[in-house]
Structure formats: C-alpha cells, structure tokens
C-alpha cells in the first residue's frame, strides 16, 4: 500500500486528470492539495469528455473517496455547479466527497478583483484564468481569508466579511470606479452556502492520518504544474499556490515521511497558457499545427495553448524540486506525424552554457535553447498496448527523455481513453 503524489512537471495541462483517473481504479482516496477552479482536468468517462475543475478526478470511480484539502481555494458557487454536473452524469458522490474545514473560499469580490487587476495591468498582465485564485490566496496569507468553517457561524462570518468588504468597497469606488458590494447580501449568500456544504466538511488531515496508518492506497493530486509554482515557476508568471510535491504536505496536513512515490506527469512536448517565458516555444505556424494535433486549448478558459519542444532543462528542474521518482509521459501520439523531433538539453547565453532553469526573467529572455534532433516515427501509436510494440524511434525518443533526466518512465499515454495507456513495470 502506498501514498503517491501526482505532479505536473511543466506548465500544467500535462494530462494529470487522465492519469489520476487511471490510477484511481486501485486507489481508496484521491486528495487534491492546491489550486482551485483555475484547474481543468479532462477525463474521458463512458466515451464522454468530462472536465473537472475542483472535484478530484477520482470521483469517476465509484469506490474512491475524494478530498479537497486545506491548501485548495474553493469557489463554493462554482463547486455547487460542478457537483450538479457530476451527479447529473449518474455519479453518486454520497459519502465520497470531503472538504477540509480549513479550506479557504473564493468569493464574488475575489473574482471581481482578479479581473479588474488583470485589466489594469494591460500589457504586464499575468494572463490569469480570472477565477479569483490570486486574490483568495492573498487574503489567506494576509490572514483575512474566509474558511469553510467560518460559513457555519453567522456572527463570525458577518464580522469578517464586514471588515473585508468595507475595505474592498473603498478600493472599488476610488480606484476602479465600479459598483460596490452589498455586505448583507454577500453574508447571506455565503451563510446559505455554508448550510449546504456542512455535509461535506471534515477534519481531513485526521481522516488522512488514519487512512495512512491503516495502509490505504492514496493519491495526492496536484493542479497546474511545477513551472507555475509560486516559488519555483517563472515568477511572476505563475499561479498563487505550490503545485510542487512539497505543497501536498502543507496542503493536506500530512508529514513528508508518509510519501512513498512522486510521479511527474510530463507531456511528450511542452505547452503553456497565459503570459511568461517559454524557451522552447514553436513559431506561430508550427504552434498552430501541434495545437490542432494535440487539441491544445485551455480546459478552463478555452484559450489556445502555446506549444513548444520538450525541454529537459525544465523537466530536470522539476525532477529536483519535486523529488520525482517516476514519469508518466502523456500525449506521445500527438507527435506521430512529425518528421523529426527536438529535445532541448541546455540553454546558451552567448558562450555560456546554462544547465539549470534560471530565476531571472531577463536571463530567460536572452537564452537560446540547445537542441538535439531525433528522427520521427511516422507511425500511429494510439492503439499500441505494449512498450516493446512502439516504433523504434518512439522508444528512442522516450529513452532519451529518461536518460537526460535520470528518471524511469512508468506510464506512457497514447490517447485520451483509459485503454490508450501503456504501463511499464
Ligand atoms: P491563475 O492561477 O488563474 O491566477 O493564473 C495564473 C497563471 O497560471 C496563468 O498563466 C494561467 O494561465 C496559469 N494557469 C492556472 N491554472 C492553470 C491550469 O490548470 N493549467 C495551465 N495553466 C494554468
Ligand atoms: Mg488543465
């Protein structure tokens, strides 16, 4: 029995949803540790594409318990919609979904502030998903956030919201010149939501502690990816939480010694949504081609994703900061028709070779990727079931990724369906 963390090794959208859903077949609990409705985990279920934003992907397996941890920020209005959507698909969530009492909530003022701040930043904007993620985490760290537990006590909720909204209304009026919030209305809306959410609230750290002690099979599911991490990503073009493996401990209240395995999900190429550095980005024509092959459009916002070559500098950064023990390589089939493939092995700045991911945006803007070129396989891979049946050049490509990073590949995904997966043991 084991505790496994699933992390995104690039800029998110590596296909974590599919891998978590796949692993859930043999898993008792899936727990999400950070992010919020900015995430979009696409899973194919009963032949239909389902996009989950806040509910862990394990919900699609009838025996799996799903936990939303304290490190997540939840939009209770959007989650209600998602619960309705999932139950509408015939999925029974009774007794299977728990939310930490400590989880912070995203309110209407966080959503509004996210959009106003991005609009005001113009060319310098981050390109956020506009879901209120940043402002909700700001309040958490600023110690004025609203937690699920607060929704259960009318007077506590009223006191906190009165203080917060009074301050925000001043800013809305003076800086943004938009309508102010009605405090009583927000208090009542959130209190009513609390009445509904009471059934899901639990001390999830205690629940997990007991589950680990009794040897349950558990997956900790991250959202976004390492290069969007607030510490180790392309700051400030990052999300406001810690998608890296360490985030699982803080975001769920578990100790590091209970983790047995850290699987890094790596896409066979690279993508990112939003602004910020992307060293191996394709030119616009090639980006358009790969985007359509890989259906690379944001699952949350529908925005076209920027596409590029596999970057071993990025993935090695991920191997290090997450302590990755295994890889799951996804979307290999998207590369089936390419004549040749490039892998970035290092960066160059003038004569200087840089073999780690730089912190400085100016350096990132000045570097040139150093590429190795490998032949394509020009063969359809999406119905291949065994590793040894993959085309020789595909195996060569995968081996090179493993060699450059010193991490073994455990899973190769060659299509969206659960069946389109090659498991290596
Ligand atoms: P925020 O998380 O909405 O604040 O957005 C910050 C940055 O993270 C933006 O570049 C977003 O496009 C990016 N981002 C947030 N969530 C995801 C995700 O699930 N996949 C990919 N990019 C994301
Ligand atoms: Mg996604």
């Amino acid at each position: 029995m084991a505790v496994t963390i699933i992390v995104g090794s690039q800029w998110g959208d590596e296909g974590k949803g599919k891998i978590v859903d796949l692993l859930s077949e043999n898993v008792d609990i899936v727990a999400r540790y950070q992010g919020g409705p900015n995430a979009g985990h696409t899973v194919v279920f009963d032949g239909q594409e389902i996009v989950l934003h806040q509910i862990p992907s394990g919900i699609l397996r009838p025996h799996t318990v799903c936990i939303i941890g304290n490190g997540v920020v939840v939009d209770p209005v959007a989650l209600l919609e998602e619960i309705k959507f999932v139950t509408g698909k015939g999925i029974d969530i009774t007794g299977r979904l728990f939310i930490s009492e400590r989880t912070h909530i995203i309110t209407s003022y966080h959503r509004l502030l996210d959009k106003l701040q991005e609009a005001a930043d113009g060319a310098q904007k981050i390109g956020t998903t506009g879901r209120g993620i940043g402002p909700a985490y700001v309040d958490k760290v600023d110690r004025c956030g609203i937690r699920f537990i607060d929704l259960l006590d009318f007077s506590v909720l009223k006191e906190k919201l009165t203080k917060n909204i009074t301050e925000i209304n001043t800013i809305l009026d003076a800086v943004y010149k938009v309508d102010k919030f009605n405090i009583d209305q927000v208090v009542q809306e959130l209190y009513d939501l609390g009445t509904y959410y009471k059934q899901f609230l639990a001390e999830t750290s205690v629940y997990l502690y007991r589950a680990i002690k009794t040897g349950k099979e558990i997956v900790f599911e991250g959202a976004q990816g390492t290069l969007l991490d607030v510490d180790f990503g392309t700051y400030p073009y990052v999300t406001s939480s810690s998608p890296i493996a360490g985030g699982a401990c803080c975001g769920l209240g578990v100790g590091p010694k209970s983790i047995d395995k850290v699987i890094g999900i790596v896409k066979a190429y690279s993508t990112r949504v939003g602004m910020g550095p992307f060293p191996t980005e394709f030119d616009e024509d090639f980006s358009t081609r790969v985007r359509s092959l890989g259906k690379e459009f944001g699952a949350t916002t529908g925005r076209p994703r920027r596409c590029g070559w596999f970057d071993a500098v990025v993935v090695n950064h991920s191997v290090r900061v997450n302590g990755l023990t295994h890889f799951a390589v996804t979307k290999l089939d998207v590369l089936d028709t390419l004549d040749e493939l490039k892998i970035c092995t290092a960066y160059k700045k003038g004569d200087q070779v840089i073999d780690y991911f730089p912190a400085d945006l100016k350096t990132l803007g000045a570097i040139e990727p150093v590429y190795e070129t490998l032949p394509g396989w020009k063969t359809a891979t999406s119905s291949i079931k065994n590793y040894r049946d993959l085309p020789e050049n595909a195996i060569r490509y995968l081996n090179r990724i493993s060699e450059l990073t010193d991490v073994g590949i455990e899973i190769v995904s060659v299509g969206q369906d659960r069946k389109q997966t090659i498991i290596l043991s």
Side-chain angles (χ1 to χ4, degrees):
M1 290 292 151
V3 179
T4 304
I5 304 181
I6 301 288
V7 307
S9 312
Q10 293 142 323
W11 281 276
D13 305 312
E14 297 91 354
K16 295 178 291 294
K18 172 183 164 169
I19 303 297
V20 172
D21 168 62
L22 191 81
L23 297 176
S24 304
E25 189 177 3
N26 306 308
V27 154
D28 301 300
I29 302 169
V30 176
R32 179 72 190 269
Y33 58 86
Q34 47 68 237
N38 49 352
H41 291 165
T42 310
V43 188
V44 172
F45 174 73
D46 269 354
Q48 315 166 61
E49 210 173 83
I50 290 197
V51 183
L52 297 167
H53 299 282
Q54 306 189 83
I55 302 178
S57 316
I59 205 74
L60 306 179
R61 304 282 187 175
H63 59 274
T64 308
V65 167
C66 290
I67 291 177
I68 298 179
N70 57 278
V72 178
V73 284
V74 167
D75 182 330
V77 179
L79 180 59
L80 190 57
E81 288 301 310
E82 204 172 321
I83 290 173
K84 280 189 200 153
F85 171 76
V86 164
T87 49
K89 297 272 172 200
I91 297 164
D92 186 8
I93 64 158
T94 321
R96 295 180 50 220
L97 179 66
F98 296 106
I99 305 171
S100 167
E101 298 171 335
R102 300 170 193 271
T103 302
H104 283 248
I105 65 156
I106 301 173
T107 65
S108 41
Y109 54 84
H110 295 123
R111 285 193 300 268
L112 181 67
L113 282 175
D114 193 357
K115 293 193 177 111
L116 291 172
Q117 284 163 357
E118 282 277 283
D121 286 345
Q124 265 87 52
K125 70 175 184 190
I126 307 287
T128 72
T129 60
R131 298 296 190 272
I133 309 295
Y137 278 115
V138 165
D139 280 3
K140 172 178 176 173
V141 180
D142 196 20
R143 296 154 297 191
C144 63
I146 310 288
R147 302 184 300 167
F148 266 101
I149 196 77
D150 302 324
L151 303 188
L152 306 184
D153 185 319
F154 193 86
S155 61
V156 169
L157 185 64
K158 186 167 176 148
E159 191 185 319
K160 290 193 170 191
L161 284 171
T162 303
K163 183 171 177 292
N164 290 355
I165 299 176
T166 304
E167 215 174 287
I168 284 155
N169 277 344
T170 313
I171 298 169
L172 292 181
D173 195 41
V175 180
Y176 297 110
K177 323 261 185 255
V178 296
D179 289 348
K180 297 193 258 187
F181 283 98
N182 176 317
I183 298 177
D184 287 334
Q185 198 181 324
V186 179
V187 173
Q188 194 58 49
E189 272 167 19
L190 290 177
Y191 184 71
D192 290 345
L193 283 162
T195 310
Y196 168 75
Y197 278 107
K198 197 164 182 237
Q199 59 184 316
F200 299 108
L201 302 188
E203 184 43 281
T204 52
S205 164
V206 173
Y207 185 94
L208 284 170
Y209 184 73
R210 290 186 183 139
I212 293 167
K213 282 226 157 182
T214 52
K216 298 274 195 242
E217 193 76 33
I218 304 173
V219 165
F220 294 159
E221 175 186 32
Q224 290 85 44
T226 303
L227 276 290
L228 289 175
D229 184 271
V230 69
D231 286 279
F232 289 101
T234 45
Y235 193 87
Y237 298 97
V238 294
T239 193
S240 303
S241 64
S242 304
I244 61 168
C249 293
C250 316
L252 289 166
V254 298
K257 285 184 83 173
S258 37
I259 314 298
D260 300 294
K261 213 169 156 181
V262 186
I263 306 182
I265 314 298
V266 283
K267 203 182 299 205
Y269 49 100
S270 310
T271 61
R272 94 170 282 173
V273 210
M275 315 302 278
F278 186 2
T280 61
E281 187 166 12
F282 298 141
D283 63 31
E284 195 40 50
D285 283 353
F286 205 59
S287 218
T288 306
R289 178 168 166 204
V290 174
R291 183 180 304 129
S292 91
L293 288 169
K295 292 197 236 144
E296 294 293 355
F297 294 89
T300 299
T301 58
R303 288 180 291 175
R305 295 180 185 140
R306 300 157 64 191
C307 302
W309 294 118
F310 184 90
D311 187 339
V313 181
V314 160
V315 175
N316 269 323
H317 176 77
S318 243
V319 168
R320 178 170 38 82
V321 303
N322 292 300
L324 299 183
T325 59
H326 304 77
F327 279 148
V329 179
T330 60
K331 301 188 93 162
L332 184 74
D333 56 300
V334 172
L335 307 177
D336 284 351
T337 56
L338 304 188
D339 294 325
E340 53 179 37
L341 298 130
K342 289 184 185 179
I343 293 181
C344 167
T345 56
Y347 302 147
K348 235 180 165 176
K349 190 183 169 200
D351 294 337
Q352 190 195 353
V353 176
I354 302 175
D355 65 355
Y356 62 93
F357 198 82
D360 176 29
L361 287 189
K362 276 195 182 150
T363 307
L364 279 167
I367 51 112
E368 281 294 323
V370 178
Y371 287 117
E372 235 174 64
T373 304
L374 282 86
W377 44 92
K378 310 282 276 179
T379 312
T381 56
S382 47
S383 45
I384 294 175
K385 302 274 178 277
N386 297 303
Y387 191 74
R388 60 170 188 277
D389 297 331
L390 281 170
E392 199 186 318
N393 285 344
I395 292 184
R396 204 162 144 193
Y397 184 71
L398 293 171
N399 282 347
R400 192 64 187 132
I401 288 176
S402 211
E403 231 169 59
L404 286 165
T405 51
D406 201 21
V407 173
I409 297 171
E410 193 176 54
I411 297 171
V412 179
S413 170
V414 289
Q416 266 188 313
D417 200 90
R418 284 172 182 169
K419 292 190 211 95
Q420 294 173 301
T421 314
I422 301 169
I423 314 268
L424 292 77
S425 33

